[in-house]
DNA sequence: CTGAAAGCGCTAACAA
DNA sequence: TTGTTAGCGCTTTCAG
């Protein structure tokens, strides 16, 4: 074992150790161009023995190609984004591309920083959650000249391409289903997140469709922080104590909805007779609760899949359809009367 | 608006547009060395107007410095790893360093690929889950010459540094608490994951401590795939139908434990009198269930924090303690008798 | 305080 | 099939 240099090995080291030009070593290591079987094997052997790991930084600089796809999402602890990621990874695994994740915590300034940071690595594409970005972010995306797919929402104009569901429509459809089922005293429970534009759009669509049916939201309640399940319980108690005539509760996500459901079951309240409930997301996690909460799938994995497909196609030089609207459907579960 | 080049802007473009040498522009953009206030402002202005985003690839190659920390974890959908990440990000945000996440799906070969891929970007450090890696992975880590922190486990020998809990000890302590509470007919329910070494070690510690108390596991049940909550229900029914004399169920994670809890509550069974339950992890998500499941915290966030601190310190040239054992404590909840 | 020159480790493009 | 020559866009180093 030679005196360990601190510096890591270079192509040159492999070249010298194998008596082949750097260029040929490079070709072997990348499976590019024709190299005789004999030299190929020798080079591979030497590289492995030396424990050579290519330097992608140098490679990327020389080739002007980076096999990274920046994925920018608001949060990882939300359960929805890991599923998006899983869709993205699934597609990218078939390609040379590799996802790199950045998290914004729903903060526009942080989104800007993360985006800047990622773009400075010159990725081959960007997948970013939402259609709302700061002017600076939008400008960076535009100027980057690489494929950009905005995901999870189609209510707006994309910088480049978008894949998602219409949250306005989702809100409207849930409202219609609720009205159709005969509920009239409707409460809304959500997160205190002015920056969660998708939740906001759902709410807007929801109230709009209610209004069309001549109904107004009777009461609302918001929370922030803490365990969603526990908060769902609390909020549900609070809103019902305040407005006992409520006969339906629409939650901005399944987790607080589940908390509400557990609370009402504890109270022995008839669901969906006395009170109906609905959430949003189709969180698989919740299968196994005593009752299945009515909800609407956000097509999370599908978003990831389609977005990654667009990036992959664009990298191949194709020109796929830049707008993909996914259509979630209501799952009635056991907490929303069927009619 | 000039004819858009496809090529992105370079330092040179900023240099020309501002009439200052590339070198000075570089200094301004990095806040290095002395630059007169006047030129600094002009350069900054021009750079912003042009929408210049520095090319970190070139920068990294030239400076031999990369502000990336590779974080390699088995899964994102597990709820435990996002928390680890949050700890890591929290610490790294105070520094120049940036986490980059890779996911292995608990597959050693994939871990090897991901590690190779990440090391080829020459990160400043590696944080990797677990102490079990393929020989090749271990060799790469060793050869990389950068700080490596293995997390979530301290039952073994680290390549470099490690931060985590002893899962063997966690299993033993839970076993002791169960015996002390008087339970004797103990069942185990877990995942079919031969590659989840931490779950395996907990199980080993658990059976070992039971044996010391003259007790053997009476029955066990394993699952794979599907919604953990729903699976927990099913498995619990299965194992109790088969072995009705069981008076305690130890689950390898909180989510299946919660499923079991819900099932037993449905059945009207007295908990923790007739049957006691315990899980593992301290999943905050579950606060809000009708009863609080006994569990043991895995110190997920803390692992992330401490690991990131070690990397940051090492990057600063310090030599922090390479072994950090965190000590989880039992939370009895409502499903394990106190004595 | 500012600039010029020389690479960082690799690959594109050509030559042999 | 293999080798040679120029860079990629930045930073280091040294000289003004």
């Amino acid at each position: 074992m030679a005196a360990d240099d601190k510096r890591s090995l270079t192509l040159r080291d492999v070249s010298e150790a194998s008596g082949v030009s750097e260029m040929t070593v490079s070709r072997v290591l990348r499976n590019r161009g024709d190299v005789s079987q004999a030299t190929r094997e020798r080079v591979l052997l030497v590289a492995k023995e030396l424990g050579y790991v290519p330097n992608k930084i140098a490679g990327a600089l020389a080739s002007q190609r980076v096999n990274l796809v920046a994925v920018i999402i608001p949060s990882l602890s939300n359960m929805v984004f890991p599923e998006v990621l899983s869709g993205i990874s699934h597609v990218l695994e078939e390609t040379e591309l590799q996802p790199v994740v950045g998290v914004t915590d729903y903060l526009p300034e942080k989104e800007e920083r993360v985006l800047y940071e990622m773009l400075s690595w010159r990725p081959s594409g960007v997948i970013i959650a939402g259609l709302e970005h700061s002017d600076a972010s939008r400008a960076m995306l535009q100027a980057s000249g690489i494929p950009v797919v905005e995901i999870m929402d189609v209510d707006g104009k994309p910088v480049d391409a978008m894949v998602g569901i219409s949250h306005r429509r989702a809100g409207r459809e849930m409202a219609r289903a609720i009205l159709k089922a005969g509920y009239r005293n409707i409460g809304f429970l959500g997160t205190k997140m002015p920056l969660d534009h998708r939740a906001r759009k759902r709410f807007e669509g929801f109230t709009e469709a209610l209004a069309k049916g001549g109904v107004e939201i009777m009461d609302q309640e918001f929370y922030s922080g803490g365990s969603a399940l526990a908060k769902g319980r609390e909020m549900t108690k609070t809103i019902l104590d305040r407005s006992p005539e409520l006969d339906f509760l629409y939650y901005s996500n399944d987790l607080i909805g589940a908390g509400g459901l557990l609370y009402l079951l504890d109270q022995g309240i008839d669901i969906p007779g006395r009170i109906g409930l609905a959430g949003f997301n189709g969180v698989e996690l919740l299968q196994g609760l005593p009752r299945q909460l009515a909800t609407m799938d956000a097509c999370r994995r599908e978003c990831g899949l389609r977005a990654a497909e667009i990036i992959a196609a664009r990298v191949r030089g194709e020109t796929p359809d830049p707008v993909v609207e996914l259509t979630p459907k209501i799952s009635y579960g056991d907490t929303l009367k069927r009619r």
Side-chain angles (χ1 to χ4, degrees), chain A:
Chain A
M1 211 175 294
D4 276 273
D5 241 332
K6 193 75 202 181
R7 187 184 63 62
S8 50
L9 291 127
T10 68
L11 255 194
R12 169 164 216 143
D13 297 311
V14 181
S15 160
E16 283 171 359
S18 63
V20 179
S21 79
E22 285 185 44
M23 199 51 233
T24 301
V25 174
S26 167
R27 280 196 269 255
V28 170
L29 263 22
R30 285 177 301 145
N31 280 310
R32 283 252 200 298
D34 295 319
V35 180
S36 76
Q37 190 56 26
T39 45
R40 151 164 277 110
E41 277 166 13
R42 189 145 43 87
V43 168
L44 251 18
L45 185 72
V46 170
K48 169 156 256 180
E49 274 181 351
L50 258 38
Y52 171 70
V53 177
N55 185 331
K56 289 225 182 203
I57 297 174
L61 183 61
S63 66
Q64 307 278 58
R65 237 187 321 240
V66 178
N67 68 339
L68 263 24
V69 175
V71 179
I72 299 177
I73 55 182
S75 153
L76 277 174
S77 44
N78 199 310
M79 213 140 344
V80 355
F81 297 106
E83 276 196 61
V84 175
L85 273 182
S86 133
I88 292 173
S89 306
H90 183 75
V91 169
L92 295 189
E93 262 167 24
E94 318 279 283
T95 73
E96 298 278 67
L97 300 168
Q98 261 232 332
V100 179
V101 182
V103 174
T104 70
D105 295 326
Y106 288 98
L107 267 25
E109 324 86 66
K110 193 161 178 202
E111 178 178 274
E112 217 172 291
R113 282 209 310 282
V114 169
L115 185 57
Y116 184 81
E117 189 72 21
M118 305 211 95
L119 287 179
S120 73
W121 286 100
R122 301 292 189 267
S124 291
V126 176
I127 296 175
I128 184 167
L131 290 163
E132 282 74 21
H133 314 289
S134 72
D135 289 345
S137 294
R138 208 184 303 277
M140 280 192 269
L141 287 170
Q142 212 112 44
S144 70
I146 59 178
V148 174
V149 184
E150 292 168 271
I151 57 172
M152 315 294 291
D153 189 2
V154 295
D155 294 323
K157 232 171 64 63
V159 168
D160 179 3
M162 66 179 170
V163 175
I165 69 168
S166 163
H167 288 264
R168 283 226 172 71
R169 186 139 82 94
R172 282 201 302 268
E173 287 188 6
M174 187 55 90
R176 284 197 212 106
I178 292 168
L179 290 178
K180 198 162 159 197
Y183 300 103
R184 288 298 175 272
N185 302 331
I186 298 163
F188 179 83
L189 300 92
T191 44
K192 248 191 222 104
M193 289 223 72
L195 297 171
D196 184 343
H197 299 282
R198 295 178 285 288
R200 194 202 71 220
K201 289 171 182 175
R202 283 199 301 279
F203 183 67
E204 288 169 4
F206 188 71
T207 51
E208 178 201 314
L210 287 187
K212 211 163 265 172
V215 173
E216 262 187 34
I217 287 199
M218 175 173 274
D219 196 357
Q220 12 188 131
E221 183 70 22
F222 296 91
Y223 85 108
S224 64
S227 159
L229 217 50
K231 285 292 176 183
R233 289 187 106 95
E234 282 173 34
M235 296 165 77
T236 303
K237 174 167 174 27
T238 307
I239 201 171
L240 284 176
D241 285 351
R242 189 168 59 217
S243 311
E245 50 312 14
L246 286 168
D247 65 0
F248 199 94
L249 301 176
Y250 182 40
Y251 296 85
S252 75
N253 72 61
D254 282 354
L255 236 37
I256 53 174
L261 172 59
L262 290 173
Y263 170 75
L264 294 172
L265 289 176
D266 279 359
Q267 305 295 307
I269 290 173
D270 168 29
I271 299 173
R274 163 70 188 82
I275 296 192
L277 303 174
F280 179 80
N281 254 340
V283 176
E284 195 195 56
L285 176 82
L286 295 176
Q287 288 167 25
L289 284 187
R291 306 273 183 94
Q292 209 52 39
L293 186 69
T295 190
M296 204 159 185
D297 186 14
C299 307
R300 302 176 299 280
R301 197 178 145 84
E302 179 87 5
C303 275
L305 291 172
R306 305 297 295 271
E309 278 165 7
I310 290 179
I311 298 283
R314 292 277 290 277
V315 166
R316 286 193 303 265
E318 302 163 17
T319 326
D321 192 336
V323 176
V324 177
E325 175 167 356
L326 272 16
T327 52
K329 54 182 208 308
I330 292 183
S331 128
Y332 284 79
D334 314 309
T335 68
L336 169 53
K337 283 181 281 184
R338 204 92 192 187
R339 173 93 237 261

